[in-house]
Amino acid sequence: MTGSSPPSPRGGVVLAGGRSTRMGAAKAGLEWHGSTLLRRTVGIVGRAVDGPVVVVRASGQRLPDLPLGTLVVDDPREDKGPVQGIAAGLTALLGRAESAFVASTDLPFLHPAFVTRVLRALDGPDGPDVALPVAHGYQQPLAAGYRTGLGELASRLVEQDRLRPAFLFEACAVLRLDEAALRADPVLAALDPELDSLLNVNTPADYATACARLAPTVAVRLVGAPGAPDLSGGPRLGPAATIREAADAVRLPVGRTVAAALNGAPVTDVTTPLVAGDEVSFLVAG
């Protein structure tokens, strides 16, 4: 008797090459609670997948700092819209991942639980080609799951100037996930009940509203430092959008060696994004 096959690797694609005409500035480098929109989105997607994350940019576009190991590819054609970016990203992942979560840059409230829920809909050889959320009154093609083999089809559509995602969906098997289907996942329902993962930032007003919201509420625990705040009765709850902000919240002792863990797993990148439900622990050496 043989065991079940391990799940196929999942990757991510983040589209950074849009012209951002309504915003009036490149979204990728916009700041949000100590990070940039692009760094945060790449980091959140990366937390939910076990394969690489690809950033698709316009040719020559300057990007903010990204997590170590992020793949960067250029759009081969200018001004061809999101299907061109989807094609480039999926093609870059072919052979490295079976499926990918495709996201726009500007999703500051994206939660790993949302990414996991969407990609799980693609599991199995007989699953759909696309898992497409339909929420807040719209289809959400830039917060959706795609099989990486669709890169060739998407490229062919771009060559034909059939640039709307609807043309891609007409040519493959699409599973639409409405709000009820998304919230049926108990983890997602608990951590992102309003599906704020899908709130994007298109205009200066949208950006101002996003910046006015508090960082996610996380639990922070400080262990092993004499004279540090006493957290022995439980972690401290407070807003923090990155590991660095969580460290600031507990005022780590200067000059001490500190090891950090996110939900029990070691983490060394202080720009790692945090979300609701996270617990960050800092172990301070004597």
Side-chain angles (χ1 to χ4, degrees), residues 194-245:
E194 301 304 317
L195 302 179
D196 286 348
S197 288
L198 294 169
L199 296 180
N200 59 0
V201 177
N202 286 317
T203 66
D206 293 340
Y207 178 52
T209 299
C211 289
R213 288 181 55 162
L214 290 176
T217 298
V218 302
V220 187
R221 190 185 299 271
L222 183 62
V223 181
D230 182 12
L231 300 182
S232 58
R236 174 181 296 177
L237 297 177
T242 63
I243 295 291
R244 180 186 286 116
E245 285 195 343

Side-chain angles (χ1 to χ4, degrees), residues 57-59 74-81 84-85 87-88 154-161 163:
R57 66 176 181 177
S59 181
D74 289 355
D75 267 328
R77 305 173 184 85
E78 293 185 7
D79 299 328
K80 291 295 185 180
Q84 169 67 85
S155 295
R156 191 161 60 246
L157 291 172
V158 172
E159 291 172 358
Q160 299 167 357
D161 276 333
L163 303 179

